[in-house]
Amino acid sequence: MPIALIVVSVLLQAGAEGFLSGRLDVTASLRLSFLAFLGTTVIFAAITRLRGRSGHRPRAMAEQRRQVRHLLWTMNLASAVTFLGFYLAMAWVPAALAASLVAGVGPLAVLLMGAVRGTNPSGPAGWARAVLLLVVSVVAASCIQPGSLWGAGYRGYAGGALAALAGFSAAYLAVVSRRLGELGVEPARVMAHRFHLTYALAAVFLVLRGAGGASELSLGATAVTALGGVVVPLYLLQIGVQRCPPIVTMVLLTALPGLTYVAQVAFGDVFRPAAALAVVLLVALTVGFALMENRPRREVRSGPGALSGPRDRAEHTDPAEAHP
């Protein structure tokens, strides 16, 4: 079930990003970020408040509450870097290219974080799969939009760098989300608290930039896209990512750029046979590697800071007692 939710989320995001490709300038990107993440916060804050009134919620231990608060604030920073970086990157490079760079570095970033914490659950084969996914993602991006990064000048380089940074930050979000899931924090509560910095920064940048821009995206289309392409899929993704190992989540997300290209073609982009073949290969590798990473196994722990496996810490925490 968690994997199915992630897959549905990827499909919805790919459709939205394919629609947005070529329709965003910097102003429209900031407007979309502000509406999407303020709307997400308001909607899920209301949901969690209503749920809180509907029944008794056991008090969490003080240490767990501190852990949850710390994780949520780090999620605020990582979410701002991930989404503002990604949507700004789409103002300078095509959506499929931005998505390829974000998704391509994700599995490798998760393994690097695991190595820093003293664990390498996937072993050498996992590293090889992560590197291969990154290479195929970059190749797919170059087929989708030849010369879109390397021949685009400083804006292309800036967009590529932002997308890669967003990919590392997205991997960190997967790790933190998994930990929050182990602490029993409901996905709706996470969604209500993780985007405060994102919409606040988007609003500040929007005010500083002022009006203007030649974006084709109207305010109404921006609001609809924000709901259907950001709020709903991110909630489905949050549920899935809290229940899946981070490496599985990031491997599944590598299918996003290929599916984004399919959506771009559906919305009028040029069909390129080489790009189509690269996309098929990328999606096939994503499915196969996700199945490999999701096989039950005992993870290697080498220190108190090591990332836990799917069942390690959940066995020692009563979810009902872990709400912030």
Side-chain angles (χ1 to χ4, degrees), residues 45-58 186 189:
I47 290 173
T48 54
R49 182 172 289 273
L50 289 174
R51 286 180 177 177
R53 289 177 176 176
S54 64
H56 174 68
R57 181 162 57 94
E186 293 180 354
R189 184 171 293 276

Side-chain angles (χ1 to χ4, degrees), residues 4 13 37 39-40 42-43 64 87 92 98 155 183 193 210 214 216 225 244 254 286 303:
Q13 289 182 75
F37 298 115
T40 299
V42 170
I43 290 170
Q64 287 180 329
Y87 288 123
W92 292 326
R155 289 191 176 184
L183 288 171
H193 292 287
E216 299 178 15
T225 305
C244 277
T254 57
T286 297

